[in-house]
Amino acid sequence: MNIRMTKSMKEEVQQQDDPPEFCREAIQKALDEKKGEQQ
């Protein structure tokens, strides 16, 4: 899977302690919020 983001977003993500885990948590949070809106 590819993720499209701006250069500034990429730079900020890469500054995180664990960039892959940061992305996983952000995606999970968005999915949980979306699921909450649908109920």
Side-chain angles (χ1 to χ4, degrees), residues 2-33:
N2 294 318
I3 299 174
R4 294 183 350 197
M5 63 179 73
T6 65
K7 184 177 180 179
S8 62
M9 288 173 64
K10 181 179 178 182
E11 290 169 355
E12 287 188 56
V13 169
Q14 289 178 326
Q15 291 175 7
Q16 302 303 311
D17 290 336
D18 186 353
E21 182 63 14
F22 178 85
C23 291
R24 190 202 66 78
E25 289 176 2
I27 292 168
Q28 187 62 61
K29 180 179 177 183
L31 290 170
D32 291 346
E33 290 174 2

